[in-house]
Amino acid sequence: MGAGDSGNSAAGRLESILTDPSLSFPRRLFLASGVESRLLIRLAAPAVIVYMVNYVMSMSTQIFSGHLGNLELAAASLGNTGIQIFTYGLMLGMGSAVETLCGQAYGAHKYEMLGVYMQRSAVLLAGTGVPLAVIYALSRPILVLLGQSPEIAEAASIFVYGLIPQIFAYAVNFPIQKFLQAQSIVAPSAYISTATVLLHLVLSWLVIYKIRLGLLGASLVLSLSWWIIVVAQFIYITTSRRCRLTWTGLSWQAFSGLPEFLKLSTASAVMLCLETWYFQVLVLIAGLLENPELALDSLSVCMTISGWVFMISVGFNAAASVRVSNELGAGNPNSAAFSVVVVTMISFIVSAIIAIVILIGRDYISYIFTEGETVANAVSDLTPLLAITIILNGIQPVLSGVAVGCGWQSFVAYVNVGCYYFVGIPAGILLGFNFGLGLGAKGIWAGMIGGTFMQTLILLWVTIRTNWNKEVQTAQQRLDAWDDKKKSLLANRDFIN
């Protein structure tokens, strides 16, 4: 069959190694680690490139804006981290329903349903994008209502207006991305994203500095770049032989079963939105401090760096989700459990190394974004908290990927509400405003790290105690239920082949 056959055969070897009684435990561990590491590298490396390069587009836009002045840096960071991340979290969260269903369907060899799941998700996400566009259009009064200064809110709203086309690019991109990842097809997206970011840098320089369109031009270029990625990936899907079994053309089934699909997408969205919005709240709260411009500038630098490193963990998140969902769909409980251990260890080690490097360069990293010495000192003061956040982010996203692969989104949503919004944010407000540490930003951030730490411990405990044989049965029941819905719609055949 397609390119996924090699991955499926390797996964089959992994299960046979782990269950072979003739091999000693050290020998099984050694052989299984080799097989799993190769599978993860093929998945995680391109996925890391995709997420990092996509994030670099947003980060470079913020950098270009920051060199226009401190007000523009604060506006771009507020627009990016305070508004745009809201949409990113919602769309990515809803798209993770495709990740669960496509990953398990691919492992179970139900290839024809992957394209239907992708289209159904794109329809739902595009519909969700309409009210989000209205929120973008009203961003200025919303930001003022949330307590932001009128000057920063005005500049941020100009930046946000140019991001409205990006909403609908997200609506198509995330289903496509999960569709490809479920089949272990990640390298083409990496090539497309890398080529696009180079074009993005050139266009941003021309539009901002030469044509002088300022913040609006910067965000419009960012939206255009995302649409280039979407179109290029769709062309790949429709022309590549690797997708011939999973993509059979546009289908009327994309408009069927939407209420049921919406329920799963909503659970996924709530889970990931609560995570993505968590540190967005940190930026919004920081805007209420006595010196909001300095607090926003220093935090935006740290959050941008944290977000860039977080993309590495998101790549491992995608790898964990694909590996776990594929193995559960294929009926391999031991391989699923072993994959969780390997990917978590690798991600943690990588994040710890990066945290050490950032601590060493703490006095210099802010000059990438702005030339102000005051901001540089504030960033240096926040760097230890940044390092702790990076290390935690080396574990937590991977465990969230495991949750998506298993279909635990609803449970994790409850965990996120408790840890983030009943512990982390109240603790951050208490430390930031009642027992102000330095700028106040340190107190806010420290409290919110406590919420992340608690959530990580809970997910780690639940993952350790998971009955993987039971998860295999649950995955099969889920696929049978969705396959029954598909069979009941056979009369509605594809209208474009």
Side-chain angles (χ1 to χ4, degrees), residues 72-356:
E72 286 79 1
L73 174 61
S77 65
L78 188 58
N80 245 333
T81 312
I83 300 290
Q84 181 258 352
I85 291 297
F86 174 89
T87 298
Y88 185 92
L90 182 62
M91 294 294 191
L92 180 61
M94 293 185 70
S96 76
V98 182
E99 199 166 2
T100 301
L101 293 172
C102 282
Q104 294 182 359
Y106 190 75
H109 305 294
K110 298 184 178 182
Y111 302 121
E112 72 281 358
M113 288 306 297
L114 271 73
V116 175
Y117 293 151
M118 178 185 72
Q119 294 174 63
R120 197 171 291 166
S121 180
V123 169
L124 284 175
L125 267 63
T128 306
V130 175
L132 289 174
V134 175
I135 293 175
Y136 275 42
L138 300 174
S139 57
R140 183 183 179 279
I142 290 173
L143 289 172
V144 172
L145 185 64
L146 292 173
Q148 306 302 313
S149 72
E151 186 180 21
I152 295 177
E154 174 69 29
S157 65
I158 293 173
F159 182 83
V160 168
Y161 295 154
L163 295 179
I164 291 177
Q166 185 191 51
I167 298 173
F168 300 97
Y170 282 164
V172 184
N173 176 74
F174 290 127
I176 286 178
Q177 205 171 63
K178 303 307 181 184
F179 168 84
L180 291 172
Q181 286 175 359
Q183 304 170 69
S184 301
I185 302 174
V186 215
S189 294
Y191 297 138
I192 291 169
S193 295
T194 302
T196 304
V197 78
L198 296 176
L199 177 63
H200 173 78
L201 293 173
V202 174
L203 289 176
S204 295
W205 179 77
L206 286 173
V207 169
I208 296 172
Y209 297 135
K210 296 302 178 183
I211 304 178
R212 299 186 183 280
L213 289 182
L215 288 172
L216 180 61
S219 55
L220 283 173
V221 170
L222 185 57
S223 293
L224 173 64
S225 298
W226 272 97
W227 271 109
I228 291 172
I229 290 174
V230 168
V231 171
Q233 287 183 130
F234 186 72
I235 290 173
Y236 174 82
I237 288 172
T238 57
T239 58
S240 173
R241 286 185 56 80
R242 298 178 70 183
C243 299
R244 69 186 186 279
L245 297 178
T246 53
W247 174 258
T248 56
L250 298 176
S251 171
W252 284 112
Q253 292 184 46
F255 299 94
S256 63
L258 290 178
E260 295 85 355
F261 203 85
L262 178 61
K263 291 178 183 177
L264 182 60
S265 296
T266 301
S268 301
V270 171
M271 170 192 154
L272 290 183
C273 285
L274 293 174
E275 293 181 13
T276 309
W277 297 343
Y278 187 47
F279 282 98
Q280 172 193 358
V281 174
L282 168 60
V283 175
L284 292 174
I285 294 174
L288 305 177
L289 294 170
E290 291 183 4
N291 190 347
E293 188 171 314
L294 179 59
L296 282 173
D297 284 348
S298 58
L299 276 173
S300 68
V301 170
C302 290
M303 288 297 99
T304 301
I305 295 170
S306 175
W308 180 74
V309 178
F310 185 72
M311 292 302 106
I312 299 176
S313 299
V314 170
F316 283 109
N317 167 290
S321 176
V322 171
R323 291 290 300 118
V324 170
S325 60
N326 283 176
E327 296 294 356
L328 292 179
N332 298 328
N334 297 289
S335 298
F338 188 76
S339 178
V340 172
V341 174
V342 175
V343 70
T344 303
M345 290 180 60
I346 294 175
S347 180
F348 171 74
I349 292 170
V350 171
S351 297
I353 292 172
I354 294 173
I356 293 171

Side-chain angles (χ1 to χ4, degrees), residues 54-74:
N54 290 347
Y55 188 78
V56 162
M57 290 199 304
S58 293
M59 185 172 68
S60 64
T61 298
Q62 199 162 313
I63 292 172
F64 279 122
S65 300
H67 286 285
L68 292 173
N70 283 344
L71 174 63
E72 286 79 1
L73 174 61

Side-chain angles (χ1 to χ4, degrees), residues 18-33:
L18 291 169
T19 55
D20 189 349
S22 65
L23 296 174
S24 65
F25 177 75
R27 181 65 176 167
R28 272 184 286 169
L29 186 62
F30 174 77
L31 293 175
S33 297

